[in-house]
Structure formats: structure tokens, C-alpha cells
């Protein structure tokens, strides 16, 4: 009886020690999870802040609303990007007696689409005013040529198929 009582007593002590060790491990894990969660939240905030700043840059490349209103008094722009930045853009320019308007949707969403939109806007800013190309087919062909050149697209099966749908 005494041996059984001693064994039971030792088992209870071992059990209490194991429970204490598990509670310590649980607290340690909770602290690690909280620390990693804070780190992820900090990284997310940095990325989101960066994307919002990129959105301001992307929007600054498009014609300001007041200038657009001067060129097209009766118009509206409906732009609801899926992400903070997107591959959708509009572009407007006067060249001589012509008003040139482009509306585009670039390959990809988010950051990849935004990169493509910046390429598109930049190339249009070069094609129409500098090269004085104003015919829609010629503008689109030159834009296609410049995008393929800048992205090193040569028609190989393994290369990216990035592009822009534009009207």
C-alpha cells in the first residue's frame, strides 16, 4: 500500500511538472506568434504604404481631372481598380486639330499591371507628341513594337505574353 501511495504521489508530481512545462511552452509559443504577427503586420503596412505611394505616381501620370475637363467638357471617368494599383489607364492628348483618347487594360493585376500601364503611358507620351504619330492604327502598331522591344518579346514559347488591350 505504501509503495502504491508513493508511486501515485510521484506520478502526481510528474503530472504537475508536465502541466507546468506545457503551460510554459504554450506561453512561449503565444509570445512567438504575437511577435511574428506584429512583424507580418509591420511588413504588410510597409507594402501597403508603398502601393499607395505607387498609386499616386500612377495617377499622376494620367491627365489631371481639370485638364481633362478642359479638353473634354462632357466626360466621365469610372476607374475602380481591383487592387491598389492596376493595369487600367486612360490617356488623352491634343495634337494639332486632333484629340486622341486611349483607354487601356494591361496584362496582369496589381503591380504587374501597373508596370505595364506605366510603360503604356510613357510610350504614348513619346509616340504621339514626339514622333507625331496620330492615326490610331499607327499609334497602336508603334506602341506594340515598343512594348515588345522593351520586354524583349520575340515570339518564343517560354517568354511572357505581357501586353495591353487598348481602344
Amino acid at each position: 500500500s505504501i509503495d502504491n501511495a508513493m508511486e501515485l504521489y510521484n506520478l502526481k508530481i510528474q503530472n504537475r511538472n508536465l502541466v507546468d512545462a506545457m503551460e510554459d511552452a504554450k506561453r512561449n509559443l503565444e509570445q512567438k506568434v504575437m511577435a511574428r504577427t506584429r512583424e507580418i503586420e509591420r511588413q504588410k503596412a510597409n507594402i501597403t504604404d508603398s502601393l499607395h505611394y505607387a498609386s499616386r505616381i500612377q495617377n499622376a501620370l494620367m491627365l489631371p481631372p481639370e485638364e481633362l475637363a478642359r479638353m473634354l467638357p462632357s466626360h466621365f471617368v469610372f476607374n475602380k481598380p481591383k487592387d491598389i494599383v492596376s493595369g487600367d489607364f486612360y490617356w488623352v492628348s491634343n495634337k494639332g486639330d486632333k484629340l486622341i483618347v486611349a483607354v487601356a487594360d494591361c496584362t496582369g493585376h496589381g503591380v504587374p499591371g501597373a508596370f505595364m500601364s506605366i510603360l503604356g503611358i510613357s510610350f504614348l507620351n513619346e509616340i504621339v507628341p514626339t514622333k507625331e504619330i496620330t492615326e490610331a492604327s499607327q499609334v497602336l502598331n508603334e506602341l506594340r513594337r515598343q512594348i515588345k522591344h522593351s520586354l524583349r518579346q520575340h515570339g518564343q514559347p517560354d517568354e511572357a505574353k505581357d501586353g495591353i488591350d487598348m481602344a
Side-chain angles (χ1 to χ4, degrees), residues 21-89:
M22 286 181 63
E23 287 176 0
D24 287 345
K26 178 183 170 189
R27 276 191 295 277
N28 187 21
L29 282 174
E30 286 174 347
Q31 288 174 349
K32 285 182 181 181
V33 167
M34 288 182 357
R36 289 185 178 151
T37 300
R38 281 191 300 273
E39 176 64 17
I40 290 169
E41 288 170 348
R42 185 189 63 74
Q43 289 173 347
K44 180 184 179 224
N46 288 342
I47 291 168
T48 302
D49 290 347
S50 181
L51 287 171
H52 282 291
Y53 187 71
S55 175
R56 285 197 299 275
I57 292 170
Q58 187 179 28
N59 288 328
L61 292 174
M62 291 187 259
L63 203 59
E66 51 282 346
E67 194 170 336
L68 186 57
R70 185 182 56 75
M71 296 169 89
L72 287 167
S74 180
H75 79 281
F76 71 93
V77 174
F78 182 77
N79 185 17
K80 291 292 233 180
K82 177 182 172 285
D83 298 312
I84 297 169
V85 292
S86 77
D88 303 330
F89 71 92

Side-chain angles (χ1 to χ4, degrees), residues 120 123-124 127 139-147 166:
F123 288 147
L124 287 171
I127 293 167
V139 170
L140 292 172
N141 283 333
E142 181 61 18
L143 179 62
R144 181 177 187 272
R145 187 192 70 72
Q146 288 191 23
I147 286 176
M166 183 181 292

Side-chain angles (χ1 to χ4, degrees), residues 78 87-92 101-105 124 140 164-167:
F78 182 77
D88 303 330
F89 71 92
Y90 66 89
W91 183 87
V92 181
V101 178
V103 178
D105 179 16
L124 287 171
L140 292 172
I164 301 174
D165 293 327
M166 183 181 292

